[in-house]
Amino acid sequence: MNSHHAEHEAGIESAIDAALPELDLDTKTRLLAGRDMWSLPALPEIGLRSLVMSDGPIGVRGVRWTAADPSIALPSPTAMAATWDPELIRRAGRLLAQEARRKGVHVLLAPTVNLHRSPLGGRHFECYSEDPYLTGAIGTGYVRGVQEGGVGTTVKHFVANDAETDRFTVDNVVDERTLRELYLSPFEMIVAGAKPWGVMAAYNSVNGPTMTEHDELQNGVLRGEWGFDGAIVSDWFATRSTAGAIDGGLDVAMPGPRTVYGEALAAAVRAGEVAESTVDDAVRRVLRLAARTGAWDRATPVVADGALPAPVDGVALTRELAGRAFVLLRNKDDVLPLDAARNGTVTLLGAAARDARVLGGGSAQVFPEHVVSPLEGLRAVLPEGVLTYRIGADPTDELGVAGTGFALRAVCRDADGAVLGEDTLPNGMVQWFGDDLPDGVTLDRLRTVEITGTFTPRESGLHSFGTKGLGEFVLSVDGEVLFDGVAVADGLDPFEAFFAAPSERAKAELTAGKAVEVGLTYTVPDLSGAPVRTISCALVHREPQLDGDELIEEAVAAAAVSDTAIVVVATTERVESEGFDRSDLRLPGRQDELVHRVAAVNPRTIVVVNSGSPVEMPWRDEVAAVLLSWFPGQEGGSALADVLLGHAEPGGRLPTTWPARLDHAPVTQVRPENGKLSYAEGVFIGYRAWQRGDTEPAYWFGHGLGYTGWSYEEARVIGPDTADGDVRVMVTVHNEGARDGREVVQVYAARPDSTVDRPHRWLAGFATVDCAAGARATVDITVPMRAFAHWDGGWAVEPGEFEFHIGRSVADSRLVRTVTSSEGKLP
Ligand code: BGC
């Protein structure tokens, strides 16, 4: 810590010392209870402004959940990890800080650093990797970047929130070594490497206590052992009890104001159940967080307005990052990159090529101002007459928020039907939190919200209409009431109204180009007892469903007569989202059939996989190329054109092993039994498990091709001779191809004949390097001392020789070196 930094921190602490006695108990507990969905109350008496938080992690949604308040949408976290480039992610973090500042947000509810324990995890796309070291390194870059922009982070979800099924009640049973070596490890790395200002406590329990009350992990490990000095914020609606949470180390219960803190906490102190000093400690940490972000007038923020990093061009960075994350899994006969001048005609197929799927669902959702689809991206770069588009197969069989062709507004009325206020809507969704209501509308008087306006279809035929949300709805199309009924919850998740599937309610025969009136009236339920007063409903719609056979025939016919076929296959929001896990890894709809059929007629078939997490690809050996684009963010189509045409290299490497089939995957159990989910596989998840099994995955962790070829010429190991026991590995690679390229050099440790039951090889270090065609470059990779350690009641290092396998993936080792560990127990 430099002296300026120490002085600054001391200044914050003395401001807190002075302020604490000025606050009475009720004020303090009110602060910890939260004010509304996204913020804490202001305390003007001490110059504290309302601290505002927002999701994360691929953009900053802000305090409104609507397309009317757009944000830059970066690629999915899996894509960020696929860059294997913490410095690039740090730049993304700075962009996010810039977005947060633009929206008045002090703390970003991100990054998500739970692990890819199973490919079935519903939020797999929102986490980085199956490997804790890669996760920790990417997360460290992210947190540094955001906080360099003066905005706080809450690293989440602490800890072992690796699946969604029964997330509010599940008790994850994880042995200590597994917790330390895998699930806690990214948090520990980020705390050490980036000093996050916040952490979010998960919904689930770990070995008994629920995480918001986990004294041992929150107070003991996170604060005590690792020295975390930030605030712990609950996941939304996660808290269960007043004394349990405050004594367990939780500082802020969200969302407010009706939480286990506030009046309940003040009463617990007065009853002698909770010590006031425990409340003071929590308030201290909240004031520290506010001070760091600049929400507190009595303290200087960590980053003063005048010292902000240079502005980031969000569109350009999002496009660059997307291409750097694309993973080229297969490239037979170098079919890629395409040569626009020589490759002739191209047929582009897939519903997602036109209606791009750029992000995963749930709280990670943001609303970008624009989206570049693959079709638009390719149209912009291919010469006239070269490109043909066909749908081929549509994976979505459900209705989506009314968008294309709709012109809508919300009309708010009181119980007598008198209009209180109106607002134009960018689409069919209404999501109003607390007092965020159209002008003139108050929650007390609001009785109905009518989503109303016109719809001009782009296709003739039978259009489907429906509702999303819970409560009473009346739906009319073209003057006729088609539905009048009630939607009730079927689960306990308070987010059900947000994340549940939309319901189809009626169909109407409509004519292309002919506008009709549409209306959905929602009766606002009694919200007086609700923890957060939210108005949430949507008008949903689907275009006439085209005949699946015809779509495929048409696509195959077009592909057969063109020089190259590009098929974009995708998952849908029903497959990858928050609140539920996946039940299989198949591509929805008839997409597999489409690829098989196209590959049979066109040897130059390129498949672009638009998903945030693994899918089965039964056709992978039949096609010329497989390019993984993840959820590529708003500029995905431009990045795809860059990469397909070779203006950029696909820079990504797999951050997680891709199974050929779900039943080959090492961990498929995500459903608790009797409330418990046993992490019985211990430390053997992902490649750590695949290495011990009998089946080969489709593609190994670390795999990814570029557009050039590499040889690994030399590796030199230096150390361990530094004070911290780190080892340096200097690796010389040779770019043997005719194009400039970028390589991700990976170092895996191994311990043959170990007395510890440990993985065959595990990631110990990595670095990326740019290298001109024909040139050589030497990269300097640091392998931290911890890479040699295992948990044995404390960190321990087995004495003797370890091996380093240096290469292109966990299964593609090019050079082997040995290193002798500095043995013994580690601090
Ligand atoms: C998610 C968190 C998110 C919060 C607020 C929760 O359901 O688990 O990741 O930050 O909602 O949207």
Side-chain angles (χ1 to χ4, degrees):
M1 202 191 287
N2 64 35
S3 66
H4 171 73
H5 180 71
E7 212 175 286
H8 177 243
E9 298 265 287
I12 291 178
E13 297 313 308
S14 55
I16 297 172
D17 289 336
L20 270 173
E22 293 175 45
L23 300 173
D24 61 28
L25 178 63
D26 296 299
T27 308
K28 289 186 286 197
T29 58
R30 189 161 62 82
L31 176 67
L32 304 182
R35 179 181 73 169
D36 55 23
M37 188 68 177
W38 305 113
S39 69
L40 303 188
L43 303 180
E45 60 272 40
I46 58 163
L48 180 69
R49 275 169 288 124
S50 170
L51 185 91
V52 179
M53 304 181 240
S54 164
D55 289 310
I58 58 135
V60 184
R61 195 173 53 242
V63 297
R64 305 185 63 204
W65 197 302
T66 158
D69 187 8
S71 323
I72 291 273
L74 284 161
S76 58
T78 34
M80 295 192 192
T83 67
W84 291 60
D85 190 342
E87 279 307 307
L88 179 60
I89 301 312
R90 184 173 181 175
R91 279 167 57 207
R94 289 185 177 173
L95 168 64
L96 291 166
Q98 176 180 306
E99 285 281 281
R101 287 180 167 267
R102 177 173 71 79
K103 292 195 167 203
V105 167
H106 302 102
V107 177
L108 191 60
L109 303 170
T112 308
V113 300
N114 301 116
L115 296 185
H116 295 164
R117 174 176 174 261
S118 167
L120 293 177
R123 293 176 87 171
H124 193 288
F125 73 90
E126 204 189 312
C127 306
Y128 293 130
S129 169
E130 67 190 13
D131 182 83
Y133 184 70
L134 181 59
T135 300
I138 296 292
T140 300
Y142 184 103
V143 169
R144 280 189 187 154
V146 174
Q147 293 189 172
E148 278 158 6
V151 171
T153 55
T154 64
V155 187
K156 69 188 187 185
H157 311 84
F158 189 71
V159 61
N161 183 179
D162 311 290
E164 293 294 283
T165 307
D166 298 340
R167 60 182 176 158
F168 281 82
T169 52
V170 63
D171 180 17
N172 292 322
V173 182
V174 197
D175 66 74
E176 199 188 345
R177 174 179 175 214
T178 302
L179 265 181
R180 293 287 184 159
E181 291 186 18
L182 294 188
Y183 301 98
L184 286 169
S185 166
F187 290 94
E188 183 181 9
M189 268 177 82
I190 297 168
V191 168
K195 260 186 131 273
W197 304 343
V199 160
M200 182 187 287
Y203 289 126
N204 52 277
S205 302
V206 173
N207 300 329
T210 191
M211 277 312 305
T212 49
E213 304 182 1
H214 216 299
D215 178 51
E216 184 191 331
L217 291 175
Q218 297 191 133
N219 287 326
V221 175
L222 176 60
R223 293 201 172 104
E225 284 182 35
W226 302 345
F228 170 69
D229 70 357
I232 304 181
V233 177
S234 74
D235 199 345
W236 265 228
F237 306 106
T239 52
R240 315 295 155 82
S241 80
T242 300
I246 196 83
D247 289 335
L250 184 86
D251 299 318
V252 178
M254 286 297 284
R258 295 180 200 177
T259 66
V260 296
Y261 288 172
E263 284 167 20
L265 181 55
V269 172
R270 291 194 177 104
E273 289 156 22
V274 167
E276 186 159 356
S277 62
T278 310
V279 173
D280 286 349
D281 290 343
V283 171
R284 171 177 293 278
R285 292 187 288 255
V286 173
L287 291 177
R288 192 181 288 147
L289 174 64
R292 287 172 167 169
T293 64
W296 193 22
D297 294 344
R298 289 193 186 174
T300 328
V302 172
V303 184
D305 281 349
L308 284 172
V312 183
D313 177 340
V315 168
L317 179 60
T318 304
R319 178 171 178 168
E320 179 189 345
L321 211 164
R324 290 275 297 274
F326 289 175
V327 182
L328 184 58
L329 294 173
R330 172 182 168 86
N331 194 18
K332 200 172 149 220
D333 302 330
D334 292 337
V335 63
L336 289 177
L338 300 174
D339 182 333
R342 288 213 320 250
N343 283 145
T345 54
V346 175
T347 295
L348 177 66
L349 303 170
R354 183 186 63 181
D355 298 317
R357 178 133 167 82
V358 301
L359 45 78
S363 64
Q365 192 186 15
V366 295
F367 301 91
E369 196 153 48
H370 69 257
V371 162
V372 183
S373 69
L375 179 58
E376 288 161 326
L378 282 168
R379 252 191 205 142
V381 293
L382 288 175
E384 275 285 312
V386 163
L387 188 67
T388 307
Y389 172 72
R390 297 281 183 275
I391 295 175
D394 188 348
T396 313
D397 56 4
E398 70 178 32
L399 289 72
V401 171
T404 309
F406 287 84
L408 299 169
R409 62 188 203 283
V411 180
C412 300
R413 293 195 169 84
D414 68 11
D416 304 324
V419 174
L420 298 170
E422 291 199 13
D423 209 356
T424 50
L425 296 173
N427 58 24
M429 187 179 70
V430 162
Q431 205 110 249
W432 296 326
F433 298 117
D435 300 325
D436 175 27
L437 294 163
D439 285 346
V441 182
T442 58
L443 267 185
D444 304 336
R445 295 185 59 201
L446 179 63
R447 187 73 189 118
T448 62
V449 179
E450 189 186 0
I451 299 170
T452 178
T454 59
F455 171 51
T456 314
R458 57 178 175 180
E459 314 270 354
S460 292
L462 212 49
H463 287 252
S464 304
F465 294 87
T467 62
K468 191 170 153 81
L470 303 175
E472 280 176 62
F473 291 100
V474 179
L475 169 71
S476 66
V477 177
D478 205 8
E480 213 182 306
V481 173
L482 300 181
F483 174 77
D484 185 343
V486 183
V488 291
D490 60 10
L492 292 173
D493 196 318
F495 282 102
E496 187 172 337
F498 297 74
F499 303 152
S503 305
E504 178 169 342
R505 304 296 186 186
K507 283 190 160 68
E509 185 71 40
L510 303 175
T511 310
K514 187 168 171 276
V516 291
E517 300 282 322
V518 291
L520 178 68
T521 305
Y522 174 64
T523 304
V524 177
D526 176 13
L527 293 170
S528 52
V532 178
R533 304 203 295 171
T534 305
I535 311 284
S536 175
C537 60
L539 171 65
V540 294
H541 164 258
R542 186 181 57 210
E543 292 195 323
Q545 281 199 301
L546 304 168
D547 181 83
D549 291 326
E550 262 171 46
L551 288 180
I552 291 189
E553 293 308 332
E554 200 183 80
V556 171
V561 298
S562 65
D563 296 293
T564 303
I566 302 172
V567 193
V568 179
V569 294
T571 58
T572 67
E573 186 152 355
R574 259 325 93 203
V575 176
E576 294 186 74
S577 187
E578 182 175 333
F580 53 86
D581 291 311
R582 297 164 77 186
S583 49
D584 62 55
L585 302 183
R586 283 193 298 277
L587 283 167
R590 294 173 67 179
Q591 299 183 94
D592 285 333
E593 185 185 341
L594 174 68
V595 179
H596 284 301
R597 295 277 312 273
V598 170
V601 299
N602 193 322
R604 288 169 53 86
T605 296
I606 295 155
V607 182
V608 176
V609 182
N610 176 195
S611 74
S613 43
V615 291
E616 290 172 4
M617 305 184 292
W619 31 257
R620 65 186 189 284
D621 295 330
E622 297 160 26
V623 301
V626 181
L627 179 70
L628 190 56
S629 72
W630 309 104
F631 293 140
Q634 65 178 54
E635 305 302 318
S638 305
L640 185 66
D642 293 341
V643 165
L644 290 176
L645 291 160
H647 303 312
E649 195 184 30
R653 304 291 186 266
L654 284 180
T656 218
T657 306
W658 275 46
R661 288 176 19 198
L662 172 62
D663 57 1
H664 294 169
V667 182
T668 53
Q669 176 68 314
V670 288
R671 253 178 202 288
E673 277 164 17
N674 300 321
K676 290 187 190 297
L677 180 65
S678 167
Y679 284 37
E681 69 287 346
V683 297
F684 298 99
I685 65 167
Y687 68 83
R688 289 167 162 77
W690 283 98
Q691 292 169 336
R692 295 161 39 116
D694 308 324
T695 48
E696 277 277 307
Y699 300 102
W700 282 99
F701 177 80
H703 172 71
L705 309 167
Y707 286 155
T708 184
W710 299 91
S711 65
Y712 280 58
E713 293 191 338
E714 181 48 36
R716 205 152 61 88
V717 176
I718 306 168
D721 57 5
T722 52
D724 48 16
D726 293 353
V727 175
R728 282 172 68 198
V729 189
M730 315 280 287
V731 184
T732 305
V733 290
H734 178 194
N735 177 355
E736 293 181 319
R739 293 176 61 103
D740 297 353
R742 158 180 283 260
E743 177 65 332
V744 180
V745 180
Q746 306 166 33
V747 179
Y748 295 88
R751 176 68 195 214
D753 306 321
S754 176
T755 57
V756 182
D757 183 24
R758 60 159 102 225
H760 185 55
R761 285 177 200 167
W762 63 95
L763 184 67
F766 61 88
T768 55
V769 58
D770 291 300
C771 195
R776 291 178 170 72
T778 298
V779 268
D780 189 342
I781 299 171
T782 301
V783 174
M785 163 89 140
R786 180 60 73 76
F788 302 105
H790 62 277
W791 183 263
D792 181 16
W795 291 106
V797 173
E798 222 181 337
E801 279 194 350
F802 283 74
E803 285 175 2
F804 281 162
H805 292 259
I806 302 150
R808 310 203 70 234
S809 82
V810 68
D812 183 357
S813 167
R814 301 293 175 95
L815 297 169
V816 184
R817 295 289 181 271
T818 54
V819 57
T820 304
S821 71
S822 33
E823 59 193 78
K825 294 261 175 201
L826 298 182

